Amino acid sequence: MSAVLAIMRRELRSYFVTPLAYVFLVIFLFMAGVLTFYVGDFYERGLADLQPFFNFHPWLYLVLAPALTMRLWAEERKSGTLELLLTLPISVTQAMLGKFLAAWLFVALALVLSFPMWLTVNYLGNPDNGVILAGYLGSWLMAGSFLAVGCCLSALTRSQVVAFILTAAVCFVLVLAGLPAIQDMLIDWLPSRLVGMVSAFSILFHFRAIARGVLDVQDLVYFVTSIVVWLWAGVIVLQLKRGD
Amino acid sequence: MIEAEHLTRRYGRLTAVDDLSFRAEPGEVVGLLGPNGAGKSTVMRMISGFIAPSAGTARVCGHDVRKSPLAAKRVLGYLPEGAPSYGELTVREFLLFIGRVRGLRGSELHRHIDAAVEHLDLHDVLHSTIDTLSKGFRRRVGLARAILHEPAVLMLDEPTDGLDPNQKREVRALIDAMARKRTILISTHLLEEVHALCNRVLIVARGRLLADATPAELETRSRYHGAVSFSAAGAGVARAMLERMPGVAAVEVDPLDGRVTVLPEPGKKLLDPVQELLRAQGLKVLEIQLERGRLEEVFRTMTARAREGEA
């Protein structure tokens, strides 16, 4: 466990010695604000909740999560430190966990820093803070799924740009599969049971309920499972693809 | 102790390392010598647990790298080629990170770091970012990292490659100082390094082990072993007579400085007869020397033969 924490600490430190951390935080908070107030009709709805805020999170993560994960393994491969890391007495799983946790904690920090949003809505009305907390928790879990995809795909390549594009593409598909428009399109081609399955694998499908403040066990299981599966796939990638 | 048993690594149809077996004992500095691309790094990567052997295995202090990789990694200090490190960290942060991952903590962690910093004289750069350091210092940081947990076995892949002559000498002195009680395996393509550091040499070419011997033993395999070389005024006269002398295999004359080298037939001693002949001819000998053998020539002959065998 201490090895996992040591790796997590180093990764977090690396975020903050490069401008990445600050750029990420500023863009995330700025975009979240703009989207909520201007696109999400925060005022016009006349409801004291943060649903417009959470609704945009999948789209924000789509661009920002791959930026957090792209360097995690690709950079190690490129600079040769992969050999250093994997010849230390730790398992690949521990290394993977350490890196993932660093990225996930960083997103947690970004979410915590969006507290002015919560202050605003509490100042304007009497929102259900339990619902808001559930929204935050769901958003964080969803971010975990995006990041796990990124951890896995970053292990595939030595190019950070390739890692970014692959991750964004896969996440895009995962989000898209749950859009009503896509569902309607699929209905024409696939049996309805299959369409149901496609949407059950969609991040959006599971997040919509959470954004409304409904924490369903099914959705939690979905996010946790997808984190585990993607990280596990990344471990396998690393075990198969090392010395090249 | 390192024991390699039938280590083999294939990449598709290419066999990078072919059935390699050797042992390295505590107190020994073993040199893995071979031309670039001979498979030296691949051997080290398999022993370090970075890549898996296609066949065969290796043991580090008795821990099998395939069956108990973590135990093997715990007793091994390994410096990969080019001494990679996390450039955005300071030297201290880097060593702290490695120590923590290796499970050191508290006062023990700091004791190990202090010892490594002391040993490699890193006090002045402790708080510098690694990226800003010179190549020589970065290599030292890599060595400090490799010995941080005081490993019984040290494996260094081309530890002096890319350094200037002064830095090379420095790093060699450091390795020499670490040699006591430890098992050290270094890879190199520099013959001077073998002379300066190693008790034993493994010559590798095309993934195959061609020789496992001490540098002195290898020198006896040279056709220059026991050769007599001299410079003398008017030595050209003596050449024909030397060639006819019993026990002489060949006579070579350096076209640049006219130095004559008399090569013996196997087992024949030439120093006395050559000196006698020169005296009898009344030649004024400026300098005369009995050669021990030329490692470079042994190395070239062996690796060239390996290449022909392949073709």
Side-chain angles (χ1 to χ4, degrees), chain B:
Chain B
M1 183 161 62
I2 301 174
E3 300 157 279
E5 279 180 8
H6 307 290
L7 270 182
T8 302
R9 173 75 197 197
R10 284 180 285 269
Y11 290 102
R13 290 176 58 198
L14 177 87
T15 306
V17 174
D18 192 358
D19 196 26
L20 215 78
S21 300
F22 66 87
R23 284 164 73 95
E25 307 278 348
E28 267 188 322
V29 180
V30 177
L32 202 54
L33 185 69
N36 288 329
K40 303 186 296 280
S41 292
T42 312
V43 169
M44 291 201 157
R45 286 175 162 190
M46 286 192 278
I47 297 172
S48 72
F50 181 57
I51 56 176
S54 310
T57 189
R59 281 188 295 277
V60 184
C61 294
H63 303 294
D64 191 302
V65 297
R66 303 185 91 160
K67 289 185 201 125
S68 42
L70 294 190
K73 286 171 183 176
R74 250 174 238 127
V75 293
L76 176 73
Y78 171 47
L79 183 71
E81 195 173 358
S85 55
Y86 294 108
E88 74 274 13
L89 302 183
T90 67
V91 173
R92 201 183 117 81
E93 286 169 339
F94 181 52
L95 294 177
L96 276 171
F97 164 68
I98 296 293
R100 286 193 189 115
V101 173
R102 284 195 172 276
L104 300 169
R105 58 193 62 254
S107 62
E108 200 193 6
L109 174 62
H110 291 282
R111 191 171 53 75
H112 277 83
I113 290 180
D114 289 345
V117 165
E118 181 72 44
H119 203 105
L120 289 138
D121 201 14
L122 290 170
H123 293 284
D124 295 340
V125 296
L126 208 49
H127 298 285
S128 312
T129 309
I130 294 174
D131 269 342
T132 64
L133 297 178
S134 71
K135 225 172 180 180
F137 262 115
R138 264 181 278 165
R139 198 62 51 94
R140 277 204 246 172
V141 170
L143 282 169
R145 194 221 84 224
I147 62 161
L148 186 66
H149 57 299
E150 294 172 4
V153 177
L154 205 54
M155 200 162 65
L156 312 171
D157 196 354
E158 310 228 337
T160 63
D161 193 44
L163 299 182
D164 71 33
N166 289 332
Q167 295 168 330
K168 276 188 188 175
R169 218 186 36 205
E170 240 175 62
V171 169
R172 277 178 206 153
L174 291 169
I175 295 172
D176 209 34
M178 290 176 210
R180 281 159 222 122
K181 291 187 291 182
R182 289 211 175 87
T183 309
I184 301 188
L185 181 67
I186 68 168
S187 78
T188 180
H189 57 266
L190 305 172
L191 287 148
E192 41 173 305
E193 202 140 284
V194 171
H195 267 299
L197 279 175
C198 303
N199 319 110
R200 207 143 61 74
V201 194
L202 307 168
I203 295 186
V204 186
R206 304 234 147 188
R208 255 174 258 148
L209 186 63
L210 302 180
D212 177 350
T214 65
E217 280 165 8
L218 281 180
E219 282 168 346
T220 66
R221 296 192 199 179
S222 164
R223 52 191 211 105
Y224 290 96
H225 178 66
V228 176
S229 65
F230 64 90
S231 24
V237 191
R239 181 171 184 170
M241 300 179 81
L242 284 168
E243 273 172 348
R244 262 181 277 122
M245 211 166 82
V248 171
V251 177
E252 290 175 0
V253 180
D254 192 318
L256 285 179
D257 58 5
R259 189 182 176 89
V260 180
T261 306
V262 188
L263 283 72
E265 283 170 356
K268 294 282 172 12
K269 296 213 178 330
L270 286 182
L271 186 59
D272 290 341
V274 167
Q275 270 177 316
E276 249 165 64
L277 183 127
L278 293 174
R279 213 175 302 128
Q281 291 300 308
L283 289 176
K284 190 173 163 44
V285 176
L286 302 169
E287 186 249 345
I288 187 160
Q289 193 193 351
L290 179 65
E291 290 207 18
R292 298 169 53 201
R294 296 180 189 173
L295 265 189
E296 193 197 332
E297 183 247 338
V298 176
F299 177 71
R300 234 182 315 117
T301 323
M302 280 188 167
T303 51
R305 216 179 290 145
R307 212 172 314 143
E308 279 161 24
E310 200 76 12

Side-chain angles (χ1 to χ4, degrees), chain A residues 89-152:
Chain A
I90 51 164
S91 64
V92 179
T93 313
Q94 282 175 304
M96 183 61 96
L97 265 182
K99 283 172 180 284
F100 169 74
L101 286 176
W104 209 22
L105 262 190
F106 186 80
V107 171
L109 173 71
L111 285 173
V112 167
L113 287 180
S114 72
F115 71 94
M117 210 61 91
W118 173 74
L119 288 182
T120 309
V121 78
N122 269 280
Y123 172 76
L124 292 173
N126 287 310
D128 184 340
N129 281 319
V131 167
I132 291 175
L133 191 67
Y136 269 114
L137 193 66
S139 171
W140 189 52
L141 275 170
M142 176 174 61
S145 304
F146 280 103
L147 295 171
V149 172
C151 284
C152 172

Side-chain angles (χ1 to χ4, degrees), chain A residues 209-210 214-221:
Chain A
I210 291 179
V214 187
L215 267 189
D216 195 336
V217 180
Q218 251 186 15
D219 300 325
L220 295 185
V221 168

